PDB file of all heavy atoms in Angstrom:
ATOM      1  N   ASP A 113     -49.919 140.790-166.966  1.00 95.00           N
ATOM      2  CA  ASP A 113     -50.463 139.884-165.963  1.00 95.00           C
ATOM      3  C   ASP A 113     -50.922 140.654-164.728  1.00 95.00           C
ATOM      4  O   ASP A 113     -52.017 140.418-164.201  1.00 95.00           O
ATOM      5  CB  ASP A 113     -49.411 138.844-165.578  1.00 95.00           C
ATOM      6  CG  ASP A 113     -49.932 137.831-164.577  1.00 95.00           C
ATOM      7  OD1 ASP A 113     -50.781 137.000-164.958  1.00 95.00           O
ATOM      8  OD2 ASP A 113     -49.510 137.875-163.403  1.00 95.00           O
ATOM      9  N   ALA A 114     -50.110 141.600-164.280  1.00 95.00           N
ATOM     10  CA  ALA A 114     -50.480 142.413-163.121  1.00 95.00           C
ATOM     11  C   ALA A 114     -51.696 143.271-163.418  1.00 95.00           C
ATOM     12  O   ALA A 114     -52.572 143.454-162.556  1.00 95.00           O
ATOM     13  CB  ALA A 114     -49.293 143.288-162.711  1.00 95.00           C
ATOM     14  N   MET A 115     -51.787 143.808-164.622  1.00 95.00           N
ATOM     15  CA  MET A 115     -52.943 144.612-165.012  1.00 95.00           C
ATOM     16  C   MET A 115     -54.214 143.779-164.985  1.00 95.00           C
ATOM     17  O   MET A 115     -55.248 144.205-164.456  1.00 95.00           O
ATOM     18  CB  MET A 115     -52.713 145.204-166.404  1.00 95.00           C
ATOM     19  CG  MET A 115     -53.881 146.011-166.962  1.00 95.00           C
ATOM     20  SD  MET A 115     -55.055 145.000-167.938  1.00 95.00           S
ATOM     21  CE  MET A 115     -54.067 144.594-169.378  1.00 95.00           C
ATOM     22  N   MET A 116     -54.155 142.585-165.550  1.00 96.00           N
ATOM     23  CA  MET A 116     -55.336 141.707-165.550  1.00 96.00           C
ATOM     24  C   MET A 116     -55.750 141.343-164.133  1.00 96.00           C
ATOM     25  O   MET A 116     -56.945 141.305-163.811  1.00 96.00           O
ATOM     26  CB  MET A 116     -55.055 140.444-166.366  1.00 96.00           C
ATOM     27  CG  MET A 116     -54.991 140.657-167.855  1.00 96.00           C
ATOM     28  SD  MET A 116     -54.914 139.088-168.738  1.00 96.00           S
ATOM     29  CE  MET A 116     -54.858 139.664-170.441  1.00 96.00           C
ATOM     30  N   ARG A 117     -54.773 141.103-163.281  1.00 96.00           N
ATOM     31  CA  ARG A 117     -55.073 140.728-161.898  1.00 96.00           C
ATOM     32  C   ARG A 117     -55.597 141.901-161.085  1.00 96.00           C
ATOM     33  O   ARG A 117     -56.637 141.795-160.413  1.00 96.00           O
ATOM     34  CB  ARG A 117     -53.795 140.182-161.239  1.00 96.00           C
ATOM     35  CG  ARG A 117     -53.993 139.717-159.782  1.00 96.00           C
ATOM     36  CD  ARG A 117     -52.644 139.480-159.119  1.00 96.00           C
ATOM     37  NE  ARG A 117     -51.896 140.728-158.971  1.00 96.00           N
ATOM     38  CZ  ARG A 117     -50.598 140.849-159.276  1.00 96.00           C
ATOM     39  NH1 ARG A 117     -49.909 139.826-159.768  1.00 96.00           N
ATOM     40  NH2 ARG A 117     -49.988 142.027-159.090  1.00 96.00           N
ATOM     41  N   ASP A 118     -54.926 143.050-161.146  1.00 96.00           N
ATOM     42  CA  ASP A 118     -55.234 144.167-160.256  1.00 96.00           C
ATOM     43  C   ASP A 118     -56.369 145.058-160.766  1.00 96.00           C
ATOM     44  O   ASP A 118     -57.171 145.548-159.971  1.00 96.00           O
ATOM     45  CB  ASP A 118     -53.978 145.015-160.033  1.00 96.00           C
ATOM     46  CG  ASP A 118     -52.851 144.222-159.382  1.00 96.00           C
ATOM     47  OD1 ASP A 118     -53.148 143.195-158.735  1.00 96.00           O
ATOM     48  OD2 ASP A 118     -51.680 144.609-159.541  1.00 96.00           O
ATOM     49  N   GLN A 119     -56.427 145.285-162.060  1.00 95.00           N
ATOM     50  CA  GLN A 119     -57.450 146.173-162.617  1.00 95.00           C
ATOM     51  C   GLN A 119     -58.713 145.430-163.048  1.00 95.00           C
ATOM     52  O   GLN A 119     -59.807 145.979-162.976  1.00 95.00           O
ATOM     53  CB  GLN A 119     -56.884 146.952-163.807  1.00 95.00           C
ATOM     54  CG  GLN A 119     -55.738 147.885-163.440  1.00 95.00           C
ATOM     55  CD  GLN A 119     -55.223 148.656-164.650  1.00 95.00           C
ATOM     56  OE1 GLN A 119     -55.969 148.999-165.556  1.00 95.00           O
ATOM     57  NE2 GLN A 119     -53.925 148.911-164.666  1.00 95.00           N
ATOM     58  N   PHE A 120     -58.547 144.171-163.494  1.00 96.00           N
ATOM     59  CA  PHE A 120     -59.691 143.426-164.024  1.00 96.00           C
ATOM     60  C   PHE A 120     -60.060 142.201-163.186  1.00 96.00           C
ATOM     61  O   PHE A 120     -60.981 141.469-163.557  1.00 96.00           O
ATOM     62  CB  PHE A 120     -59.411 142.996-165.465  1.00 96.00           C
ATOM     63  CG  PHE A 120     -59.383 144.148-166.434  1.00 96.00           C
ATOM     64  CD1 PHE A 120     -58.195 144.792-166.730  1.00 96.00           C
ATOM     65  CD2 PHE A 120     -60.540 144.602-167.045  1.00 96.00           C
ATOM     66  CE1 PHE A 120     -58.164 145.857-167.626  1.00 96.00           C
ATOM     67  CE2 PHE A 120     -60.525 145.660-167.935  1.00 96.00           C
ATOM     68  CZ  PHE A 120     -59.331 146.293-168.223  1.00 96.00           C
ATOM     69  N   HIS A 121     -59.346 141.971-162.092  1.00 96.00           N
ATOM     70  CA  HIS A 121     -59.709 140.897-161.158  1.00 96.00           C
ATOM     71  C   HIS A 121     -59.698 139.513-161.808  1.00 96.00           C
ATOM     72  O   HIS A 121     -60.423 138.610-161.369  1.00 96.00           O
ATOM     73  CB  HIS A 121     -61.087 141.163-160.538  1.00 96.00           C
ATOM     74  CG  HIS A 121     -61.303 142.584-160.120  1.00 96.00           C
ATOM     75  ND1 HIS A 121     -60.695 143.114-158.997  1.00 96.00           N
ATOM     76  CD2 HIS A 121     -62.017 143.596-160.687  1.00 96.00           C
ATOM     77  CE1 HIS A 121     -61.047 144.393-158.881  1.00 96.00           C
ATOM     78  NE2 HIS A 121     -61.836 144.705-159.890  1.00 96.00           N
ATOM     79  N   VAL A 122     -58.905 139.336-162.845  1.00 97.00           N
ATOM     80  CA  VAL A 122     -58.872 138.052-163.545  1.00 97.00           C
ATOM     81  C   VAL A 122     -58.052 137.052-162.747  1.00 97.00           C
ATOM     82  O   VAL A 122     -56.889 137.284-162.451  1.00 97.00           O
ATOM     83  CB  VAL A 122     -58.258 138.211-164.960  1.00 97.00           C
ATOM     84  CG1 VAL A 122     -58.155 136.851-165.648  1.00 97.00           C
ATOM     85  CG2 VAL A 122     -59.097 139.172-165.798  1.00 97.00           C
ATOM     86  N   GLU A 123     -58.684 135.954-162.380  1.00 95.00           N
ATOM     87  CA  GLU A 123     -58.005 134.897-161.639  1.00 95.00           C
ATOM     88  C   GLU A 123     -58.022 133.562-162.382  1.00 95.00           C
ATOM     89  O   GLU A 123     -57.411 132.604-161.963  1.00 95.00           O
ATOM     90  CB  GLU A 123     -58.658 134.717-160.261  1.00 95.00           C
ATOM     91  CG  GLU A 123     -58.485 135.912-159.340  1.00 95.00           C
ATOM     92  CD  GLU A 123     -57.018 136.199-159.011  1.00 95.00           C
ATOM     93  OE1 GLU A 123     -56.182 135.273-159.129  1.00 95.00           O
ATOM     94  OE2 GLU A 123     -56.708 137.348-158.662  1.00 95.00           O
ATOM     95  N   GLY A 124     -58.741 133.499-163.485  1.00 94.00           N
ATOM     96  CA  GLY A 124     -58.874 132.224-164.200  1.00 94.00           C
ATOM     97  C   GLY A 124     -60.005 131.414-163.614  1.00 94.00           C
ATOM     98  O   GLY A 124     -60.278 131.470-162.406  1.00 94.00           O
ATOM     99  N   ARG A 125     -60.702 130.685-164.455  1.00 97.00           N
ATOM    100  CA  ARG A 125     -61.794 129.814-164.014  1.00 97.00           C
ATOM    101  C   ARG A 125     -61.532 128.396-164.501  1.00 97.00           C
ATOM    102  O   ARG A 125     -62.002 127.985-165.562  1.00 97.00           O
ATOM    103  CB  ARG A 125     -63.127 130.323-164.558  1.00 97.00           C
ATOM    104  CG  ARG A 125     -63.658 131.568-163.874  1.00 97.00           C
ATOM    105  CD  ARG A 125     -63.965 131.350-162.394  1.00 97.00           C
ATOM    106  NE  ARG A 125     -65.070 130.454-162.170  1.00 97.00           N
ATOM    107  CZ  ARG A 125     -66.263 130.838-161.715  1.00 97.00           C
ATOM    108  NH1 ARG A 125     -66.494 132.113-161.453  1.00 97.00           N
ATOM    109  NH2 ARG A 125     -67.214 129.954-161.519  1.00 97.00           N
ATOM    110  N   PRO A 126     -60.745 127.626-163.721  1.00 98.00           N
ATOM    111  CA  PRO A 126     -60.435 126.251-164.143  1.00 98.00           C
ATOM    112  C   PRO A 126     -61.664 125.365-164.242  1.00 98.00           C
ATOM    113  O   PRO A 126     -61.617 124.297-164.858  1.00 98.00           O
ATOM    114  CB  PRO A 126     -59.474 125.757-163.049  1.00 98.00           C
ATOM    115  CG  PRO A 126     -59.690 126.667-161.885  1.00 98.00           C
ATOM    116  CD  PRO A 126     -60.066 127.995-162.466  1.00 98.00           C
ATOM    117  N   ASP A 127     -62.786 125.811-163.652  1.00 97.00           N
ATOM    118  CA  ASP A 127     -64.027 125.042-163.716  1.00 97.00           C
ATOM    119  C   ASP A 127     -64.858 125.363-164.957  1.00 97.00           C
ATOM    120  O   ASP A 127     -65.924 124.769-165.168  1.00 97.00           O
ATOM    121  CB  ASP A 127     -64.873 125.328-162.476  1.00 97.00           C
ATOM    122  CG  ASP A 127     -65.238 126.813-162.335  1.00 97.00           C
ATOM    123  OD1 ASP A 127     -64.388 127.659-162.668  1.00 97.00           O
ATOM    124  OD2 ASP A 127     -66.361 127.120-161.887  1.00 97.00           O
ATOM    125  N   ALA A 128     -64.412 126.300-165.794  1.00 98.00           N
ATOM    126  CA  ALA A 128     -65.187 126.705-166.971  1.00 98.00           C
ATOM    127  C   ALA A 128     -65.393 125.518-167.907  1.00 98.00           C
ATOM    128  O   ALA A 128     -64.534 124.640-168.045  1.00 98.00           O
ATOM    129  CB  ALA A 128     -64.483 127.842-167.702  1.00 98.00           C
ATOM    130  N   VAL A 129     -66.543 125.511-168.569  1.00 98.00           N
ATOM    131  CA  VAL A 129     -66.933 124.427-169.469  1.00 98.00           C
ATOM    132  C   VAL A 129     -67.031 124.969-170.884  1.00 98.00           C
ATOM    133  O   VAL A 129     -67.547 126.074-171.100  1.00 98.00           O
ATOM    134  CB  VAL A 129     -68.290 123.832-169.031  1.00 98.00           C
ATOM    135  CG1 VAL A 129     -68.733 122.737-169.992  1.00 98.00           C
ATOM    136  CG2 VAL A 129     -68.201 123.300-167.606  1.00 98.00           C
ATOM    137  N   GLY A 130     -66.572 124.200-171.849  1.00 98.00           N
ATOM    138  CA  GLY A 130     -66.604 124.640-173.233  1.00 98.00           C
ATOM    139  C   GLY A 130     -67.897 124.281-173.937  1.00 98.00           C
ATOM    140  O   GLY A 130     -68.583 123.331-173.566  1.00 98.00           O
ATOM    141  N   PHE A 131     -68.228 125.057-174.966  1.00 98.00           N
ATOM    142  CA  PHE A 131     -69.357 124.712-175.830  1.00 98.00           C
ATOM    143  C   PHE A 131     -68.925 124.847-177.277  1.00 98.00           C
ATOM    144  O   PHE A 131     -67.860 125.377-177.577  1.00 98.00           O
ATOM    145  CB  PHE A 131     -70.586 125.581-175.532  1.00 98.00           C
ATOM    146  CG  PHE A 131     -70.402 127.064-175.706  1.00 98.00           C
ATOM    147  CD1 PHE A 131     -70.260 127.646-176.974  1.00 98.00           C
ATOM    148  CD2 PHE A 131     -70.394 127.910-174.593  1.00 98.00           C
ATOM    149  CE1 PHE A 131     -70.108 129.015-177.131  1.00 98.00           C
ATOM    150  CE2 PHE A 131     -70.237 129.290-174.749  1.00 98.00           C
ATOM    151  CZ  PHE A 131     -70.090 129.836-176.025  1.00 98.00           C
ATOM    152  N   GLU A 132     -69.764 124.370-178.186  1.00 98.00           N
ATOM    153  CA  GLU A 132     -69.517 124.501-179.615  1.00 98.00           C
ATOM    154  C   GLU A 132     -70.613 125.344-180.256  1.00 98.00           C
ATOM    155  O   GLU A 132     -71.623 125.657-179.614  1.00 98.00           O
ATOM    156  CB  GLU A 132     -69.441 123.117-180.280  1.00 98.00           C
ATOM    157  CG  GLU A 132     -68.210 122.304-179.920  1.00 98.00           C
ATOM    158  CD  GLU A 132     -66.909 122.903-180.458  1.00 98.00           C
ATOM    159  OE1 GLU A 132     -66.966 123.747-181.385  1.00 98.00           O
ATOM    160  OE2 GLU A 132     -65.833 122.538-179.942  1.00 98.00           O
ATOM    161  N   ASP A 133     -70.413 125.695-181.502  1.00 98.00           N
ATOM    162  CA  ASP A 133     -71.404 126.457-182.252  1.00 98.00           C
ATOM    163  C   ASP A 133     -72.761 125.749-182.199  1.00 98.00           C
ATOM    164  O   ASP A 133     -72.850 124.528-182.368  1.00 98.00           O
ATOM    165  CB  ASP A 133     -70.950 126.584-183.703  1.00 98.00           C
ATOM    166  CG  ASP A 133     -71.898 127.413-184.556  1.00 98.00           C
ATOM    167  OD1 ASP A 133     -72.316 128.487-184.087  1.00 98.00           O
ATOM    168  OD2 ASP A 133     -72.210 126.980-185.684  1.00 98.00           O
ATOM    169  N   GLY A 134     -73.816 126.523-181.938  1.00 98.00           N
ATOM    170  CA  GLY A 134     -75.160 125.966-181.915  1.00 98.00           C
ATOM    171  C   GLY A 134     -75.605 125.448-180.563  1.00 98.00           C
ATOM    172  O   GLY A 134     -76.754 125.006-180.434  1.00 98.00           O
ATOM    173  N   ALA A 135     -74.724 125.494-179.549  1.00 98.00           N
ATOM    174  CA  ALA A 135     -75.135 125.050-178.210  1.00 98.00           C
ATOM    175  C   ALA A 135     -76.324 125.885-177.738  1.00 98.00           C
ATOM    176  O   ALA A 135     -76.354 127.095-177.915  1.00 98.00           O
ATOM    177  CB  ALA A 135     -73.974 125.186-177.226  1.00 98.00           C
ATOM    178  N   VAL A 136     -77.306 125.219-177.129  1.00 98.00           N
ATOM    179  CA  VAL A 136     -78.524 125.897-176.692  1.00 98.00           C
ATOM    180  C   VAL A 136     -78.629 125.832-175.171  1.00 98.00           C
ATOM    181  O   VAL A 136     -78.495 124.762-174.570  1.00 98.00           O
ATOM    182  CB  VAL A 136     -79.779 125.252-177.318  1.00 98.00           C
ATOM    183  CG1 VAL A 136     -81.049 125.932-176.797  1.00 98.00           C
ATOM    184  CG2 VAL A 136     -79.718 125.333-178.840  1.00 98.00           C
ATOM    185  N   PHE A 137     -78.881 126.975-174.556  1.00 98.00           N
ATOM    186  CA  PHE A 137     -79.087 127.076-173.108  1.00 98.00           C
ATOM    187  C   PHE A 137     -80.566 127.404-172.900  1.00 98.00           C
ATOM    188  O   PHE A 137     -81.035 128.475-173.276  1.00 98.00           O
ATOM    189  CB  PHE A 137     -78.174 128.147-172.516  1.00 98.00           C
ATOM    190  CG  PHE A 137     -76.712 127.870-172.730  1.00 98.00           C
ATOM    191  CD1 PHE A 137     -76.080 128.278-173.917  1.00 98.00           C
ATOM    192  CD2 PHE A 137     -75.973 127.167-171.799  1.00 98.00           C
ATOM    193  CE1 PHE A 137     -74.749 128.001-174.135  1.00 98.00           C
ATOM    194  CE2 PHE A 137     -74.631 126.880-172.009  1.00 98.00           C
ATOM    195  CZ  PHE A 137     -74.016 127.301-173.183  1.00 98.00           C
TER     196      PHE A 137
END
Side-chain angles (χ1 to χ4, degrees):
D113 182 70
M115 177 269 291
M116 288 189 180
R117 181 192 66 225
D118 299 338
Q119 297 181 33
F120 291 92
H121 317 286
V122 177
E123 294 298 338
R125 286 297 293 251
D127 59 323
V129 178
F131 60 71
E132 290 293 342
D133 182 45
V136 177
F137 300 86

